[in-house]
Amino acid sequence: MTKFPSKKTLLLAGAGHAHIGMLRRLSTARLKNTDTTDTDIHLISEQPQTIYSGMLPGWMAGHYQLHDISIDIKSLCMRAGVRFVQQSLVQVNAVSNKVVTKGDEQTVFNYDVLSLNTGADTDMRWLYNHNDHRSDSDVDVGAVNAHANTDVIAIRPLSTFITQWQRILKDAQSSERYQLAIIGAGAAAIELVMAAQVALRNINRNHQVTLVCGENLLSGFNSGFRQRVIKQLHRHGITIIRERATDYRDGKLSTTHKSLPINAVIAATGVIGSAWTASTDLEIEGDGFVAVNDKQQSVSHSNVFAVGDVATRIDKYVAHSGVHSVHGGAVEADNLLAYLQESVMKSYQPKSRTLYLLSCGDKYAIGSWGNVNLQGRWVWHLKKYIDKRFIEVNKN
Ligand SMILES: Cc1cc2nc3c(=O)[nH]c(=O)nc-3n(C[C@H](O)[C@H](O)[C@H](O)COP(=O)(O)OP(=O)(O)OC[C@H]3O[C@@H](n4cnc5c(N)ncnc54)[C@H](O)[C@@H]3O)c2cc1C
């Protein structure tokens, strides 16, 4: 009697940009009847929907509804022939090819091949080193984020942030002068601060948003771009404090030299590895990221792949961004199939220049492509077109 080899199991953990692309590709192959993957595929994600971060500031400023910026992962899985599991990844035991997840109860899944695209957590270490002389990198990543100060609103996870932003708007409606601070110096913090100022000023002209950004505002961008952004912050009347935030309690935000009365604080203070990366035997790099090679493959376990904010390339610097999750994800999807079919894998080589479009609250945006800078209402419409296309191809 012939014994057929049993089907392999591919486990996709997280529903980030890369796995969304993978699901789209599987459903297209299924429609065309060209699906050649003789594999059981499962996707584990915390939520049946995922929020598209690129449009979040537009939602805050009132340009989009929540359904405009959400992607229905459960439906995408159904169309792709992938089993959706609403659970949270809590542990990866790579030596025994098992992951542990948590939902209503704890579950163990076996896999032949694992792909990780769970994104990252907000780096809250700035809250924990104010009263001693440790630098951020000396503070234990997992311990800090597990006990994060509940008064400060972290931008991630986005699903939690959505509820907290709705609460801020409600509180602002019943306040004479609502004061919001946003902490961070990257593009996300800048977009959030301008969106928040537009939203709060629409409620009451006395409401005020403050950006606490330290000394290195937009350090990864060219100086022309930075100057354009600063002009827009001034146009909106945003208060800029170029000091480090150190603490927030009892309605007082402390910075290096100041103490400010603030109703709510949002942290967009960069990323550190997902909490589960503290419970794995995979090789971890830097602040809790899965160490991968140019094929997006774990450097310690060859049947594990990771892409997007959860991973760090060990051979070259690749920024944590949605753009690299999408493009790296396309290569990773090819490599997962190649690995399953024992064929040759590809290398992800990021382009030397990527287009970055930063929305300025109202329907205005600034763009950068290498050293070329752009701005205007038309840049906002270009961003809207690109963002809506991303959502629409993943909805239909
Ligand atoms: C306001 C804002 C605006 C931004 N704008 C841009 C932009 O314009 N361009 C750009 O390139 N980048 C932008 N970024 C950065 C971008 O959001 C991230 O780099 C990108 O989302 C990373 O994508 P990812 O695929 O790694 O995962 P994510 O998009 O973070 O998705 C991770 C997914 O995994 C799920 N998940 C998380 N943990 C678990 C777990 N333990 N178990 C199961 N599931 C889990 C989450 O629910 C989520 O669905 C922005 C960020 C913010 C905050």
Side-chain angles (χ1 to χ4, degrees), residues 133-159:
H133 298 289
R134 290 178 297 176
S135 69
D136 283 357
S137 56
D138 293 332
V139 184
D140 179 350
V141 171
V144 164
N145 277 28
H147 301 101
N149 182 331
T150 49
D151 286 348
V152 176
I153 298 167
I155 185 66
R156 291 184 179 282
L158 298 184
S159 52

Side-chain angles (χ1 to χ4, degrees), residues 296-350:
Q296 301 294 150
Q297 183 180 33
S298 157
V299 295
S300 58
H301 296 79
S302 62
N303 62 337
V304 178
F305 292 75
V307 67
D309 284 5
V310 74
T312 280
R313 280 273 290 268
I314 53 146
D315 59 319
K316 67 156 72 173
Y317 172 74
V318 179
H320 287 123
S321 78
V323 172
H324 291 306
S325 183
V326 170
H327 296 307
V331 172
E332 193 235 21
D334 284 339
N335 288 347
L336 288 172
L337 303 181
Y339 185 86
L340 284 160
Q341 291 159 358
E342 295 176 19
S343 60
V344 181
M345 293 194 280
K346 294 177 181 168
S347 162
Y348 172 51
Q349 294 304 337

Side-chain angles (χ1 to χ4, degrees), residues 53-64 155 161 165 168-169 180 182 187-203 209 232-233 235-236 238 266 358-364 380:
S53 57
M55 291 171 88
L56 182 83
W59 170 74
M60 289 167 65
H63 307 311
Y64 305 119
I155 185 66
F161 175 76
W165 175 249
I168 288 177
L169 290 183
L180 173 72
I182 294 181
I190 303 297
E191 285 198 297
L192 294 173
V193 89
M194 288 195 262
Q197 179 83 334
V198 167
L200 293 186
R201 287 271 167 103
N202 278 342
I203 295 172
V209 182
Q232 293 303 313
L233 293 170
R235 175 171 71 86
H236 282 291
I238 289 161
I266 296 172
L358 186 146
S359 59
C360 299
D362 43 9
K363 294 182 177 175
Y364 196 91
W380 187 84

Side-chain angles (χ1 to χ4, degrees), residues 3-214:
K3 197 170 172 215
F4 292 103
S6 61
K7 268 190 172 184
K8 291 209 166 138
T9 300
L10 167 60
L11 213 55
L12 308 175
H17 293 60
H19 283 171
I20 290 170
M22 173 93 183
L23 291 175
R24 194 176 62 238
R25 181 177 164 156
L26 289 169
S27 59
T28 308
R30 216 165 163 235
L31 272 179
K32 292 186 181 159
N33 234 349
T34 53
D35 183 0
T36 53
T37 53
D38 189 26
T39 309
D40 280 326
I41 310 179
H42 307 255
L43 182 134
I44 297 165
S45 193
E46 293 170 327
Q47 305 286 339
Q49 274 100 22
T50 201
I51 303 291
Y52 177 43
S53 57
M55 291 171 88
L56 182 83
W59 170 74
M60 289 167 65
H63 307 311
Y64 305 119
Q65 302 294 312
L66 201 48
H67 64 82
D68 294 328
I69 68 164
S70 312
I71 297 172
D72 184 343
I73 299 301
K74 210 171 161 184
S75 304
L76 259 184
C77 282
M78 271 170 67
R79 290 206 295 276
V82 170
R83 182 177 160 232
F84 174 76
V85 181
Q86 188 175 348
Q87 299 252 340
S88 203
L89 179 70
V90 290
Q91 194 184 332
V92 175
N93 190 339
V95 78
S96 57
N97 292 349
K98 287 185 197 319
V99 303
V100 180
T101 64
K102 222 172 162 199
D104 293 337
E105 55 192 37
Q106 195 153 299
T107 314
V108 177
F109 289 89
N110 295 306
Y111 62 81
D112 294 294
V113 180
L114 172 66
S115 172
L116 298 159
N117 184 213
T118 53
D121 289 345
T122 306
D123 186 352
M124 302 294 276
R125 287 173 295 179
W126 59 272
L127 264 175
Y128 291 84
N129 59 5
H130 62 279
N131 49 9
D132 54 32
H133 298 289
R134 290 178 297 176
S135 69
D136 283 357
S137 56
D138 293 332
V139 184
D140 179 350
V141 171
V144 164
N145 277 28
H147 301 101
N149 182 331
T150 49
D151 286 348
V152 176
I153 298 167
I155 185 66
R156 291 184 179 282
L158 298 184
S159 52
T160 311
F161 175 76
I162 294 278
T163 314
Q164 288 164 317
W165 175 249
Q166 286 164 330
R167 203 202 67 217
I168 288 177
L169 290 183
K170 211 164 159 228
D171 291 349
Q173 261 142 15
S174 55
S175 163
E176 290 295 308
R177 183 170 160 76
Y178 194 85
Q179 305 256 32
L180 173 72
I182 294 181
I183 303 175
I190 303 297
E191 285 198 297
L192 294 173
V193 89
M194 288 195 262
Q197 179 83 334
V198 167
L200 293 186
R201 287 271 167 103
N202 278 342
I203 295 172
N204 185 327
R205 298 302 298 166
N206 291 326
H207 292 349
Q208 179 63 39
V209 182
T210 297
L211 173 69
V212 181
C213 60

Side-chain angles (χ1 to χ4, degrees), residues 212-227:
V212 181
C213 60
E215 291 300 322
N216 302 315
L217 185 67
L218 292 174
S219 59
F221 290 85
N222 67 61
S223 69
F225 183 83
R226 243 186 333 266
Q227 291 316 315

